[in-house]
Amino acid sequence: MEFRIASTFTDSLSKLANTEQTSVKSTVYDLQANPANPGLQFHRLDKPKDPHFWSVRSNQDIRVIVHRLDQSLLVCYVDHHDKAYKWAENRKLEVHPTTGAAQIVEIRETVKEIVVPEYVEVEQPRLPLFPQITDEELLKYGVPESWIADVKAITSEDGLLELVDHLPDEAAEALLTLATGGKPDVPEPIATGTNPFDHPDAQRRFRVMTDLEELKQALDEPWEKWAIFLHPAQRQFVTRDFNGPARVSGSAGTGKTVVALHRAVNLARRDPQAHVLLATFSSELAMMLRTKIGRLVGGDAKLAERIDVQFLDYVGRRLYELQFGKKNIPEEQDIREALANASSSVDGHSFTANFLYSEWNEVIDAWQIKEWEVYRDFARLGRKTRLAESKREVVWRIFEQAGNDLADRGFVTLAEMFGRLADEMPVDNHRYDLAVIDEAQDLNPAQLRFLAALAGEKPNGLFFAGDLGQRIFQQAFSWRSLGVDVRGRSRTLRVNYRTSHQIRTRADRLLGQEIADVDGNIDVRQGTVSVFDGPQPVIETFDSHEDEIERVADWLRDLFSKGIAPDEVGVFVRSEKEIDRAQQAVSQAGAASSDLNHLLAKTPGSVSVGTMHLAKGLEFKAVVVMACDDEIIPSQERISSVADESDLREVYDTERHLLYVACTRARDFLLITSGNVPSEFLSDLT
C-alpha cells in the first residue's frame, strides 16, 4: 500500500500543543506500519463530500483525517474533533481537469462569504485586477472550476489574501505571482492515465513515505524543511540560462535560498561533467545548506559529489594551500597591533587607530592596493573624509610598514589570499566550473574578485542570491568595477512565504521602498505580498529593564498556553551585553533557554537566545526582539568609533538592516521591546 502525507497535514500538526503532537505522531507511525491494524480506530464520516475521507482517533479529542483507498492511504489533516470533521466535510480529493494534478479542494458552496480580517491594514497598496485573464488560463494555474468566478472578482490585496486561504497552494501561488507583476511558470499537463500524484504540483504537496525514518523526519520538521520545494514564482530563476553573472534578490522570506539550492542542483544535473560550488559567508549557514542539499538530491550520490557546499573563506583557504602552501591568517588584533606600531614610528600625523584600521580594512586590504601610485589615485568609494595627497602619503607610509610587518610574521590576510588566487591560480587547477552564492550581499571585494576569476566569464558561471536589506557584515562597493555586472540579469522575488503580511509590512518600514547598490541596481520592496495573515506585531517600551523582562515573560507564557512550543520561539538582542536580559525573561516565563552560540541550531524544548547577527538564516513561529534601547541599537560603540561621515551612514544602514533581520525571523508573532529610552528606530516601526 502506498502511504503518503500531505502538506495540509504537517501544517495542521504544527498548530497542536506538544503533548497532542506526540500522540498524533504515534498514531501516524501505527498507520504506516499497518493500516489494517485492528487497534486503529477508523470512523467513516457522516455525509462527507468525499466518501473516502475517514477519521482516525488519536486521543480522546484529536482526530486524524485520512483519505483511504484499497491500495493507498493519504494522511490529510489533524485537529480537535469538531474542527477536524468540519475540515473533512468541506473538502474533496480531486484530479484537476486541466493540469491532471491531484488536489485537496475546498467545496465552494460551503464558504458562504469571504470576509476580510479586521487586522489587515487598509492602507496597503491595491493589487492589480485580473480583467483580462480567461477561465482557461486560470485552469492552467490549477484554480478549481468552482472558484474561478471568485478569482475574477478580486479587487484588492486584502481580498486576494483572504481568497488564497481557500485555494490549493499551486493556484494561490500563481495568483500571487500574477498580482505582483510576474508570469507563473506552469508545468505541462500530465498525460491522460498518468497517476495524478506524479504531476509536479502534486509532488510538492503529497509525499510518499517509504520508511519509518523518512516519516519521522517529516513529522518532526515543517514541510519546507524536509521537502524543499519550488514555488512557481521561483522556478523560472532556477532553470533560466544567463550569458553572464546573474542575481536573484527579494526581501526576507521570499525563498532566495531555496532558489539557490535548486539552481545548484539544476546546473549539476544539466551538465554531468560540471562541478558546482554552493557557498555562503559563514560555516554555520553552509552546514544548513549542506543538509538541505542532501535532502534535495536524495539518494543520488554521484550528483551530490559534484555539488560542494562550503563556507567561502574555507574554499579560499583550501585552494590557496593547494597552490601556494599553508599560511597564517591574521586576527583583527594582529592587524591593529601592526598598524599601531607603524603609526608610532611615522611622525607628522593625527590619524586615530580606528581610522587607520577602517582605511586599511575597507580600502588598502580590501582592494589589495600594493603601490603608492594606486592609493594616491584611488577613488576611496564611499568614504567622504577627503585626504589630500600629502596626507595620503603619510598614511601610505604607515600602511606600507604595517603590511611589511605582517608579511615578515608570515601572515596572509583573507583579502590577500583571495586576491592572489584571482591573479595567479591556473584555470585548470581549481575544482569548480560553476558557482552559486547565497547571502551574496555580504560578499567583500576580494571574495567577489576571486569568484569573477573562477567562473565569471562562463555562461551560467555565477549566480547570486541576496537581499540588500540584510547587508550587515560588509560595506557597499561596486561589483561592476570588479567585473561582475548583473545589470539586466537581476530579478526580484515578490511573494513572501515565511512572514505574515503584518510582520513583513511593519519590518519593511525600517528600509524604505527602495534600496540601491553602488552600481545602481535597485531592490524594490513595494509590491511584495505575503501568502498569509497574522496578528499585528507588538511594540512596547518600558522605564526599566525589570519591567521589560516581566512583560516579555508574560508574553512568552501566553504563547506557551496557546500551544507554541519553546523551541519555536527566538529571543534576540543587539549584543552579548544584553543576553542576560533575554535569559532572565525566558527563565521567568518558566522555560529553558539555549544559547545559539554560532551553532544556529534549535534545542528541543528550549527557547533560542542569541544576538541579532546570529538570527540570519533562522525562522521561528514567534520572536522577541529585546533591549531596543537608545545607544544599544544603533550601537553607540560603533558610532563612537566612526572614522568619517560615510562610516556613520554605514553604521546607521547596517544597524537598521540588523534590526530588520531579527524582526523577519518571525512567522506569526513578533514582540519588540525596550527597557529604557527607546531606540530611534522604533519610531519608524510604529
Side-chain angles (χ1 to χ4, degrees):
M1 172 177 284
E2 263 191 336
F3 184 86
R4 291 185 176 89
I5 66 172
S7 59
T8 49
F9 170 74
T10 57
D11 288 344
S12 58
L13 175 65
S14 69
K15 294 178 172 63
L16 298 179
N18 280 358
T19 55
E20 296 169 335
Q21 290 187 31
T22 300
S23 173
V24 172
K25 290 177 183 180
S26 178
T27 301
V28 177
Y29 293 147
D30 291 341
L31 280 168
Q32 184 195 45
N34 181 16
N37 186 336
L40 291 168
Q41 300 184 48
F42 282 90
H43 175 74
R44 187 184 292 274
L45 278 68
D46 296 330
K47 300 179 181 179
K49 298 294 182 180
D50 190 323
H52 302 294
F53 273 143
W54 292 68
S55 78
V56 180
R57 179 179 176 135
S58 181
N59 64 23
Q60 186 174 358
D61 190 43
I62 299 296
R63 299 294 183 269
V64 178
I65 302 299
V66 302
H67 191 273
R68 185 183 185 188
L69 297 174
D70 290 341
Q71 299 301 318
S72 68
L73 188 74
L74 172 65
V75 185
C76 301
Y77 190 76
V78 63
D79 210 329
H80 295 268
H81 181 283
D82 292 349
K83 292 181 178 179
Y85 274 50
K86 184 177 180 180
W87 183 93
E89 290 167 357
N90 293 343
R91 285 165 176 82
K92 293 194 297 185
L93 180 65
E94 296 182 343
V95 177
H96 193 278
T98 298
T99 68
Q103 294 181 321
I104 294 177
V105 178
E106 185 174 3
I107 308 303
R108 177 63 186 89
E109 58 261 31
T110 65
V111 184
K112 296 180 180 180
E113 183 181 2
I114 295 176
V115 180
V116 177
E118 293 182 0
Y119 51 72
V120 175
E121 300 180 14
V122 298
E123 69 270 19
Q124 290 302 307
R126 293 171 65 89
L127 292 174
L129 305 177
F130 307 124
Q132 306 301 323
I133 201 163
T134 65
D135 292 5
E136 290 74 19
E137 288 175 301
L138 291 175
L139 288 170
K140 289 180 180 179
Y141 295 141
V143 177
E145 288 182 291
S146 58
W147 286 93
I148 286 177
D150 296 271
V151 171
K152 297 177 79 170
I154 294 173
T155 61
S156 68
E157 178 178 313
D158 297 344
L160 175 62
L161 289 171
E162 177 61 22
L163 178 64
V164 297
D165 285 340
H166 298 278
L167 297 175
D169 286 346
E170 59 269 25
E173 294 158 5
L175 293 178
L176 289 165
T177 301
L178 287 170
T180 55
K183 182 71 172 177
D185 185 11
V186 181
E188 291 293 325
I190 58 177
T192 303
T194 304
N195 188 335
F197 287 104
D198 290 340
H199 188 279
D201 282 334
Q203 289 181 336
R204 292 164 50 221
R205 315 300 176 200
F206 311 99
R207 291 295 174 109
V208 176
M209 298 288 108
T210 58
D211 55 46
L212 180 61
E213 189 59 35
E214 187 177 13
L215 178 60
K216 185 179 185 304
Q217 183 186 22
L219 297 182
D220 287 345
E221 298 188 61
W223 184 269
E224 295 87 350
K225 293 292 187 182
W226 60 269
I228 303 170
F229 59 86
L230 282 174
H231 300 276
Q234 302 162 336
R235 190 180 296 124
Q236 57 182 304
F237 303 111
V238 171
T239 59
R240 182 169 179 173
D241 286 317
F242 297 97
N243 60 7
R247 181 178 71 182
V248 63
S249 61
S251 60
T254 53
K256 299 178 296 296
T257 296
V258 172
V259 170
L261 287 163
H262 279 269
R263 178 79 178 177
V265 173
N266 180 267
L267 290 172
R269 281 187 171 140
R270 288 164 60 181
D271 183 354
Q273 304 304 315
H275 287 77
V276 180
L277 170 65
L278 174 60
T280 188
F281 74 92
S282 78
S283 57
E284 295 80 19
L285 290 179
M287 183 171 58
M288 295 171 66
L289 290 178
R290 199 173 295 121
T291 300
K292 293 178 179 180
I293 278 288
R295 295 171 183 170
L296 196 56
V297 302
D300 194 339
K302 291 185 178 180
L303 179 64
E305 287 176 358
R306 294 189 292 108
I307 305 173
D308 193 15
V309 187
Q310 293 292 352
F311 169 34
L312 190 55
D313 283 355
Y314 171 80
V315 173
R317 292 189 188 210
R318 184 177 65 183
L319 294 179
Y320 189 94
E321 289 179 10
L322 287 173
Q323 182 66 20
F324 307 111
K326 189 173 183 178
K327 291 288 185 179
N328 294 323
I329 306 295
E331 303 291 338
E332 179 178 337
Q333 181 180 347
D334 298 314
I335 296 171
R336 286 187 175 273
E337 181 182 328
L339 289 169
N341 292 336
S343 177
S344 65
S345 66
V346 175
D347 298 327
H349 75 87
S350 58
F351 300 116
T352 66
N354 285 329
F355 171 82
L356 290 173
Y357 180 75
S358 176
E359 186 79 356
W360 168 274
N361 197 47
E362 303 295 343
V363 179
I364 302 297
D365 191 46
W367 294 90
Q368 283 296 286
I369 298 176
K370 301 294 187 180
E371 299 175 356
W372 153 243
E373 290 79 12
V374 176
Y375 181 57
R376 181 192 64 198
D377 301 330
F378 192 74
R380 299 174 73 247
L381 187 64
R383 300 180 66 79
K384 295 182 180 179
T385 296
R386 301 188 61 85
L387 288 178
E389 184 173 326
S390 59
K391 290 187 176 181
R392 286 201 190 197
E393 191 172 4
V394 174
V395 177
W396 177 252
R397 292 207 304 269
I398 296 173
F399 292 147
E400 191 173 37
Q401 185 171 318
N404 291 335
D405 180 16
L406 292 170
D408 291 342
R409 294 159 63 188
F411 286 126
V412 173
T413 68
L414 286 171
E416 189 175 4
M417 176 188 74
F418 281 116
R420 190 174 180 190
L421 284 173
D423 292 336
E424 301 181 36
M425 186 176 64
V427 175
D428 61 354
N429 200 38
H430 66 68
R431 300 184 176 186
Y432 309 109
D433 302 293
L434 310 165
V436 177
I437 309 299
D438 193 28
E439 301 289 354
Q441 72 278 349
D442 284 312
L443 288 170
N444 61 46
Q447 291 170 331
L448 190 67
R449 193 158 75 88
F450 161 71
L451 291 169
L454 188 73
E457 297 184 358
K458 300 178 181 178
N460 298 318
L462 292 179
F463 186 87
F464 302 95
D467 176 15
L468 295 177
Q470 297 185 65
R471 182 178 58 83
I472 59 178
F473 293 107
Q474 181 56 49
Q475 189 177 47
F477 64 94
S478 171
W479 284 27
R480 189 154 46 112
S481 68
L482 294 172
V484 180
D485 191 355
V486 297
R487 293 176 302 169
R489 294 183 295 274
S490 183
R491 305 290 187 272
T492 302
L493 297 169
R494 301 196 185 281
V495 181
N496 188 305
Y497 302 97
R498 188 184 70 206
T499 305
S500 74
H501 169 83
Q502 288 69 29
I503 293 174
R504 175 187 59 78
T505 54
R506 191 66 65 90
D508 278 350
R509 295 179 186 179
L510 289 166
L511 306 178
Q513 296 294 338
E514 295 183 353
I515 304 176
D517 66 14
V518 174
D519 295 325
N521 297 297
I522 298 175
D523 282 359
V524 180
R525 325 296 287 191
Q526 190 174 15
T528 299
V529 297
S530 297
V531 300
F532 63 96
D533 287 310
Q536 289 287 356
V538 179
I539 303 173
E540 297 184 358
T541 61
F542 301 90
D543 295 329
S544 70
H545 296 174
E546 291 76 18
D547 289 345
E548 179 192 25
I549 291 169
E550 184 176 348
R551 171 61 177 123
V552 171
D554 287 342
W555 193 80
L556 291 174
R557 280 192 291 267
D558 183 60
L559 285 181
F560 302 151
S561 71
K562 295 176 180 177
I564 304 295
D567 52 33
E568 295 172 325
V569 180
V571 182
F572 296 103
V573 292
R574 172 60 184 83
S575 71
E576 292 287 344
K577 297 177 182 178
E578 295 83 47
I579 287 289
D580 183 65
R581 211 189 300 186
Q583 291 173 334
Q584 287 186 52
V586 175
S587 178
Q588 286 192 26
S593 64
S594 60
D595 189 349
L596 289 173
N597 212 16
H598 298 282
L599 296 177
L600 301 187
K602 302 176 184 179
T603 301
S606 296
V607 174
S608 296
V609 175
T611 64
M612 295 180 185
H613 286 89
L614 294 177
K616 184 170 285 192
L618 299 177
E619 59 185 76
F620 301 86
K621 282 188 177 180
V623 164
V624 183
V625 186
M626 289 186 68
C628 295
D629 305 345
D630 186 40
E631 298 192 356
I632 289 180
I633 184 164
S635 166
Q636 186 60 42
E637 184 177 345
R638 290 188 66 196
I639 292 173
S640 301
S641 66
V642 160
D644 61 26
E645 294 178 21
S646 169
D647 285 348
L648 183 61
R649 172 65 182 271
E650 178 70 10
V651 166
Y652 272 86
D653 283 349
T654 52
E655 293 287 303
R656 281 181 176 275
H657 296 176
L658 199 55
L659 182 56
Y660 172 83
V661 167
C663 292
T664 53
R665 301 311 94 187
R667 174 182 169 86
D668 302 298
F669 303 96
L670 174 63
L671 172 66
I672 305 170
T673 63
S674 71
N676 205 317
V677 178
S679 164
E680 61 189 273
F681 293 162
L682 296 193
S683 62
D684 296 328
L685 288 168
T686 55

